[in-house]
Amino acid sequence: MQSIIHLINSYGYLILFSALTLELIAFPLPGELMMAYCGFLVYQAKMNWIVSIIVASSGTILGITISYCIGSTLGLKFFKKYGSYVHLSIDKLNKTSYWFNSYGKGLLILAYFIPGIRHITGYFSGITKISYKKFAINAYVGAAIWASTFISLGRFLGFGWNKFDVYIKKYIIIGIIIIALILSIIYIYKKHKKNIFLY
């Protein structure tokens, strides 16, 4: 992480954009920590809050779009055969499939907050041929929410940004539960809205 901090200090937005693009293509990079540190730099007035969120969101969007295109082009057979070489094993794909079946396409918003899942949701969306429009609406909104959350958190914590793990473990679970409840309510409403209006 120290080397990434040094690079962010030297090249700022370029490293933020590039690192988040690579992370969403499945490179093992600490996205949340990077964004929290950028939030700290915003706190110090060395970076701009709005620009940081736009750059982070754009890098994330580019990365997940590339993974969507790769998944759509190569298909399930390729990943069954070679997925384990790029950390996309059948077990991970099955786990993602379970989450998608439980929460629908709204998982594309929620997935950014789930380590190990966000890295493969783009591939999975492409493999399962989710339409680009539906993918983009959910994934791009999720990218903006994810980037805004962690950059704002780093800004709020200031010099305590490096303790954000303590806060995130406490609040991320609450956040996931709230988002899951919202998605469940939306799903139930869509599925049963005719019956609801009958009463």
Side-chain angles (χ1 to χ4, degrees), residues 171-191:
Y171 295 111
I172 200 72
I173 295 170
I174 296 170
I176 287 172
I177 291 169
I178 291 169
I179 293 170
L181 283 171
I182 292 168
L183 291 175
S184 297
I185 290 166
I186 291 169
Y187 172 76
I188 291 166
Y189 171 76
K190 283 183 177 178
K191 193 170 184 180

Side-chain angles (χ1 to χ4, degrees), residues 109-190:
I109 297 173
L110 181 65
Y112 289 101
F113 296 89
I114 309 171
I117 297 293
R118 70 170 166 268
H119 304 96
I120 62 172
T121 51
Y123 292 104
F124 187 84
S125 299
I127 289 168
T128 54
K129 305 297 182 186
I130 291 173
S131 74
Y132 175 76
K133 183 179 179 181
K134 289 180 180 177
F135 161 78
I137 289 169
N138 291 280
Y140 296 178
V141 168
I145 293 171
W146 187 55
S148 300
T149 299
F150 286 97
I151 290 171
S152 299
L153 183 61
R155 181 190 184 192
F156 173 75
L157 293 174
F159 284 98
W161 76 272
N162 55 353
K163 296 178 183 175
F164 100 108
D165 273 344
V166 176
Y167 294 92
I168 214 61
K169 285 174 184 175
K170 183 178 179 181
Y171 295 111
I172 200 72
I173 295 170
I174 296 170
I176 287 172
I177 291 169
I178 291 169
I179 293 170
L181 283 171
I182 292 168
L183 291 175
S184 297
I185 290 166
I186 291 169
Y187 172 76
I188 291 166
Y189 171 76
K190 283 183 177 178

Side-chain angles (χ1 to χ4, degrees), residues 8-197:
I8 291 172
N9 286 334
S10 301
Y11 302 102
Y13 301 116
L14 179 61
I15 294 300
L16 179 63
F17 178 87
S18 304
L20 289 173
T21 298
L22 292 173
E23 186 186 355
L24 269 294
I25 299 174
F27 282 74
L29 295 168
E32 290 99 338
L33 273 171
M34 284 186 291
M35 288 189 287
Y37 181 69
C38 286
F40 169 60
L41 294 179
V42 170
Y43 170 80
Q44 292 186 308
K46 293 179 179 177
M47 292 179 78
N48 180 275
W49 181 52
I50 298 297
V51 174
S52 296
I53 290 172
I54 292 170
V55 169
S57 301
S58 300
T60 302
I61 286 168
L62 178 60
I64 201 167
T65 303
I66 290 170
S67 62
Y68 172 85
C69 293
I70 292 171
S72 180
T73 303
L74 298 180
L76 185 58
K77 285 184 179 180
F78 175 87
F79 287 98
K80 278 184 175 179
K81 193 171 182 180
Y82 301 107
S84 59
Y85 295 106
V86 289
H87 308 292
L88 292 170
S89 64
I90 290 300
D91 287 342
K92 279 191 175 180
L93 289 171
N94 287 338
K95 187 177 180 181
T96 307
S97 179
Y98 168 78
W99 280 82
F100 263 89
N101 290 332
S102 300
Y103 298 105
K105 295 173 186 68
L107 176 63
L108 286 163
I109 297 173
L110 181 65
Y112 289 101
F113 296 89
I114 309 171
I117 297 293
R118 70 170 166 268
H119 304 96
I120 62 172
T121 51
Y123 292 104
F124 187 84
S125 299
I127 289 168
T128 54
K129 305 297 182 186
I130 291 173
S131 74
Y132 175 76
K133 183 179 179 181
K134 289 180 180 177
F135 161 78
I137 289 169
N138 291 280
Y140 296 178
V141 168
I145 293 171
W146 187 55
S148 300
T149 299
F150 286 97
I151 290 171
S152 299
L153 183 61
R155 181 190 184 192
F156 173 75
L157 293 174
F159 284 98
W161 76 272
N162 55 353
K163 296 178 183 175
F164 100 108
D165 273 344
V166 176
Y167 294 92
I168 214 61
K169 285 174 184 175
K170 183 178 179 181
Y171 295 111
I172 200 72
I173 295 170
I174 296 170
I176 287 172
I177 291 169
I178 291 169
I179 293 170
L181 283 171
I182 292 168
L183 291 175
S184 297
I185 290 166
I186 291 169
Y187 172 76
I188 291 166
Y189 171 76
K190 283 183 177 178
K191 193 170 184 180
H192 301 287
K193 65 180 176 182
K194 288 183 180 178
N195 294 331
I196 290 169
F197 287 117

